[in-house]
Amino acid sequence: NGPSIKTIVIDPGHGGEDWGAIGSANEKEKNITLTISRLLANMIQKKLNIRTLLTRNSDIFIDLEARTAYANMEKADLFISIHVNAVTNTAANGIEIYYLDNSTNKGTRRLDARENLLINNALPE
């Protein structure tokens, strides 16, 4: 038996003035992520009967700290951030999945620290 999941917070990426990626037909990532997040939340609630919340339910901007603070305030057991990338190479396809591994393995912890440093240094101030 694994851990019991009681609350899931789904984070539709981007929003408001932060459009995210722009697709070939001028679709904005912020709109696609909101649609996907609503569908996912509905599916989880109906099929698994798990309390599911969204960080945003409309086209508003919420900074990253507020998104994670909301998940912590709601005592989320799982936080899912939805994004859709755009590329110019039409042959590219697939998905990316990032997750937090609470491993105590020293090698894993070093890799996590290095990746987080790279990500944080790439973020705008």
Side-chain angles (χ1 to χ4, degrees), residues 13-14 16 18-23 25-34 56 59 84:
H14 307 284
D18 178 7
W19 292 3
I22 305 296
N26 285 328
E27 310 101 336
K28 295 179 179 87
E29 180 177 3
K30 67 178 185 170
N31 298 330
I32 296 168
T33 61
L34 184 56
R56 66 180 182 94
D59 184 18
V84 293

Side-chain angles (χ1 to χ4, degrees), residues 36-105:
I36 291 169
S37 296
R38 286 176 174 159
L39 291 169
L40 179 60
N42 189 40
M43 187 183 321
I44 289 169
Q45 287 169 342
K46 283 186 176 176
K47 293 188 181 258
L48 302 175
N49 197 28
I50 294 174
R51 179 176 177 245
T52 308
L53 306 165
L54 298 181
T55 57
R56 66 180 182 94
N57 287 295
S58 62
D59 184 18
I60 60 171
F61 175 78
I62 302 172
D63 67 33
L64 296 176
E65 290 80 14
R67 293 169 192 254
T68 55
Y70 176 70
N72 289 330
M73 180 184 74
E74 293 294 338
K75 299 189 180 347
D77 300 297
L78 184 62
F79 180 83
I80 302 171
S81 185
I82 305 292
H83 290 269
V84 293
N85 296 331
V87 296
T88 55
N89 179 351
T90 57
N93 62 69
I95 62 171
E96 292 177 317
I97 299 174
Y98 297 91
Y99 64 95
L100 175 62
D101 180 2
N102 290 323
S103 173
T104 58
N105 176 283

